[in-house]
């Protein structure tokens, strides 16, 4: 279960995902009850992430293989996303583009652009052999995504030529993998439907 304390204009409010698949809106001033409960996931909620561009929108991801897009005044999700049949470990919004978010499951990094497709990620980067991806973070000052893995390593992927809504010529490439130095692996965004 991960809590999310940002997003509300009232800093005493926060969201808490549960092992039962629920997301509770809570208040620091009232620990006796939940203010609201968001229900859609059928497995543990692994992350809740507020959109930095819209204070009433958030994403959640779960071990039920799904990512859900929510508005805080709706108790059911606005959109749901699934790309693989594995638990989604982490989801984060891009700090630069309002329609872009990233997600990792044990097998891969996914970059989604809602302007491009709501059915498929615009980019998929498989995990290295024998390694499970566990977490991600968009860098705030550069166009990079950092991905943590089960070996305790962090891989930095550079977003190249990302033009939101028109990304057929864009690419991601690993900059390095821990102390092993530079990597030369590059992959291209695939067109969405």
């Amino acid at each position: 279960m991960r809590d999310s304390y940002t997003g509300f204009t009232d800093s005493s409010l926060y969201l808490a995902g549960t092992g039962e698949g629920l997301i509770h809106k809570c208040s620091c001033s009232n620990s006796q009850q939940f203010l609201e409960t968001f229900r859609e996931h059928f497995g543990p909620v692994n992350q809740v992430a507020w959109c930095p561009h819209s204070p009433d929108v958030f994403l959640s991801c779960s071990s039920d293989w799904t990512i859900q897009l929510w508005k805080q005044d709706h108790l059911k999700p606005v959109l749901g996303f699934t790309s693989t049949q594995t638990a989604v470990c982490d989801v984060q919004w891009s700090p630069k583009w309002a329609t872009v978010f990233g997600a990792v499951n044990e097998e891969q990094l996914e970059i989604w652009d809602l302007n491009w497709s709501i059915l498929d990620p615009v980019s998929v980067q498989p995990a290295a052999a024998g390694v499970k991806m566990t977490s991600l973070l968009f860098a705030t000052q550069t166009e990079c995504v950092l991905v943590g893995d089960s070996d305790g390593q962090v891989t930095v992927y550079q977003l190249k030529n990302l033009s939101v809504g028109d990304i057929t010529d864009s690419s991601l490439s690993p900059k390095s993998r821990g102390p092993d130095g530079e990597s030369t692996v590059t992959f291209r965004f695939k067109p969405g439907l």
Side-chain angles (χ1 to χ4, degrees):
M1 172 174 69
R2 292 191 181 166
D3 299 335
S4 180
Y5 292 93
T6 59
F8 290 109
T9 53
D10 181 349
S11 63
S12 70
L13 299 177
Y14 63 97
L15 295 174
T18 72
E20 293 78 35
L22 305 175
I23 302 169
H24 298 300
K25 184 190 288 186
C26 304
S27 172
C28 295
S29 61
N30 182 359
S31 62
Q32 300 300 312
Q33 63 184 9
F34 308 121
L35 302 177
E36 292 180 307
T37 299
F38 301 88
R39 303 171 192 271
E40 187 66 20
H41 290 295
F42 297 100
V45 175
N46 296 325
Q47 180 66 283
V48 177
W50 286 101
C51 179
H53 308 283
S54 181
D56 65 336
V57 175
F58 64 94
L59 290 166
S60 61
C61 67
S62 171
S63 295
D64 68 2
W65 312 340
T66 69
I67 300 165
Q68 303 295 335
L69 174 73
W70 306 82
K71 287 190 70 164
Q72 72 169 316
D73 58 348
H74 294 79
L75 296 180
K76 288 290 189 182
V78 177
L79 288 171
F81 312 93
T82 304
S83 66
T84 65
Q85 295 181 347
T86 59
V88 184
C89 302
D90 199 0
V91 65
Q92 296 292 327
W93 286 100
S94 164
K96 185 173 181 179
W97 300 290
T99 61
V100 174
F101 67 89
V104 291
N105 57 52
E106 293 179 348
E107 299 174 350
Q108 62 193 26
L109 163 65
E110 301 173 350
I111 302 295
W112 293 76
D113 178 0
L114 302 179
N115 278 336
W116 187 258
S117 174
I118 61 170
L119 300 176
D120 295 302
V122 293
S123 176
V124 175
Q125 171 65 41
V131 174
K132 296 178 181 179
M133 293 181 170
T134 59
S135 59
L136 82 132
L137 178 69
F138 280 88
T140 57
Q141 302 299 315
T142 63
E143 294 181 9
C144 292
V145 179
L146 292 76
V147 177
D149 65 34
S150 57
D151 284 347
Q153 302 292 318
V154 174
T155 304
V156 178
Y157 294 93
Q158 185 176 16
L159 296 164
K160 293 183 179 178
N161 306 317
L162 183 61
S163 176
V164 174
D166 180 26
I167 56 176
T168 55
D169 293 330
S170 300
S171 65
L172 266 180
S173 60
K175 293 191 72 84
S176 66
R177 181 166 166 34
D180 297 333
E182 290 294 313
S183 172
T184 59
V185 178
T186 301
F187 72 98
R188 299 255 171 225
F189 283 98
K190 65 178 185 173
L193 295 177

